[in-house]
Amino acid sequence: HKTSSGWNNLFQAAIELPEQTAEQRSSKYLRLAQISEDFIAAVELYGKLIISELNCRIKTISHNAELGGIAGGKKFVVQGILFKVTHDRYISEHRGYMYGGVSPKEEYAAKAAGHELKGSSRYLRYFLSNTNQGSDGAVAANTPRVPMQVVMDYMGYRLVAQPWLPLQKLVYGSSNAGSTIHCSNEHVNHVMEQAGRALHLAPHHVVNGGDVELSAATDVEVHQGHDGRLYLLDLARTFPPEQPKAVNHLPLCPYAVFFRLMRPE
């Protein structure tokens, strides 16, 4: 049973394998492919069960409300995997719904989940590049890690799944919609600035009881893990949004900045 952080440990251990020779590269990427196939199979098995029971009073896998967060949707944890079923959540009488405003728009919530996979893929590609590897070709120990992710559509619902991570401390970004912003770790600030430059993301200023500069969206997070690794997550808003009023061929939505984003290219 791959419980607790087992899936993550398998993936990170494979990422850390050297790839200096052709034999090492073949062994490493075969291992990554095997882990990915096993993870996808587990996500499909439990994901179908979670979605099938969404409207059931008695569930095999219970919704975990203690995980918090606003934009991620309904969260479930099983066999060391965190599942987030997309949902346009009601915020307040003044704000309305997270994505739709006056009425829920589940398709917008699903679109935001797709952006999370896009952002994760681009950051992962960058952090696995030669600039972040040691002399043996392995990923450097202090390089932020992007967890495995699967986006799954089933019965009209969409969910995002990733391994349960051993998170200890938030060191970059915000987990409470910008009320508190972390950026005091100089190493993390530097690597995020370099990553932003590679992805063509300009540093920008955020006011938080003072003027701080970030090289990613405010709600993109980097955490220090209990295992000593750095973890990069919540990447749905990796790329900047279009100006809603400048896209005349699309319906005007006040909260389009959360889902109508520019393409990576």
Side-chain angles (χ1 to χ4, degrees):
H1 294 291
K2 300 174 178 66
T3 56
S4 185
S5 299
W7 285 110
N8 179 63
N9 289 336
L10 286 172
F11 181 66
Q12 300 304 335
I15 287 291
E16 291 165 359
L17 291 173
E19 49 178 291
Q20 217 170 7
T21 66
E23 184 178 356
Q24 287 175 336
R25 287 192 293 273
S26 175
S27 176
K28 175 176 181 174
Y29 288 99
L30 178 60
R31 179 63 176 150
L32 283 169
Q34 292 170 337
I35 295 169
S36 298
E37 289 179 4
D38 289 346
F39 186 68
I40 291 170
V43 168
E44 184 176 359
L45 174 66
Y46 293 110
K48 286 183 176 180
L49 180 60
I50 288 170
I51 290 173
S52 298
E53 295 183 340
L54 279 177
N55 299 312
C56 296
R57 186 173 61 86
I58 300 176
K59 303 179 188 297
T60 308
I61 303 171
S62 300
H63 169 219
N64 193 329
E66 297 179 358
L67 294 177
I70 296 175
K74 297 179 180 179
K75 299 179 176 67
F76 303 80
V77 180
V78 58
Q79 290 296 309
I81 304 174
L82 170 63
F83 293 87
K84 298 184 288 186
V85 181
T86 62
H87 174 58
D88 192 4
R89 178 177 171 179
Y90 183 78
I91 304 299
S92 66
E93 184 177 354
H94 171 71
R95 167 71 183 271
Y97 290 86
M98 173 75 190
Y99 299 102
V102 295
S103 62
K105 299 289 186 182
E106 300 299 340
E107 66 270 30
Y108 293 163
K111 188 173 183 180
H115 287 311
E116 184 160 355
L117 186 61
K118 291 178 185 176
S120 298
S121 298
R122 294 294 170 140
Y123 269 114
L124 180 64
R125 183 184 302 177
Y126 168 74
F127 284 122
L128 291 184
S129 66
N130 293 334
T131 57
N132 296 287
Q133 294 180 350
S135 58
D136 61 353
V139 176
N142 60 355
T143 297
R145 309 303 175 87
V146 180
M148 285 191 294
Q149 287 193 28
V150 174
V151 173
M152 172 181 164
D153 294 322
Y154 183 63
M155 294 178 63
Y157 292 91
R158 171 168 286 185
L159 63 76
V160 180
Q162 66 178 50
W164 181 257
L165 301 175
L167 306 182
Q168 180 182 30
K169 180 183 178 182
L170 178 62
V171 296
Y172 191 89
S174 176
S175 60
N176 54 13
S179 297
T180 306
I181 300 173
H182 301 263
C183 59
S184 59
N185 186 307
E186 292 300 325
H187 167 69
V188 174
N189 294 348
H190 178 65
V191 296
M192 289 302 291
E193 182 181 357
Q194 288 183 313
R197 190 178 296 117
L199 299 180
H200 306 290
L201 303 175
H204 62 283
H205 293 272
V206 182
V207 177
N208 173 41
D211 197 355
V212 299
E213 186 177 82
L214 297 177
S215 297
T218 306
D219 46 7
V220 167
E221 302 173 16
V222 180
H223 289 254
Q224 180 71 54
H226 288 285
D227 56 2
R229 299 184 180 105
L230 293 168
Y231 291 100
L232 180 64
L233 61 152
D234 286 356
L235 300 172
R237 295 208 302 131
T238 293
F239 296 101
E242 294 178 325
Q243 163 54 263
K245 295 180 180 179
V247 191
N248 298 325
H249 62 288
L250 295 173
L252 181 63
C253 175
Y255 304 120
V257 293
F258 295 117
F259 61 84
R260 197 172 286 162
L261 309 183
M262 294 183 180
R263 296 178 180 178
E265 59 269 23

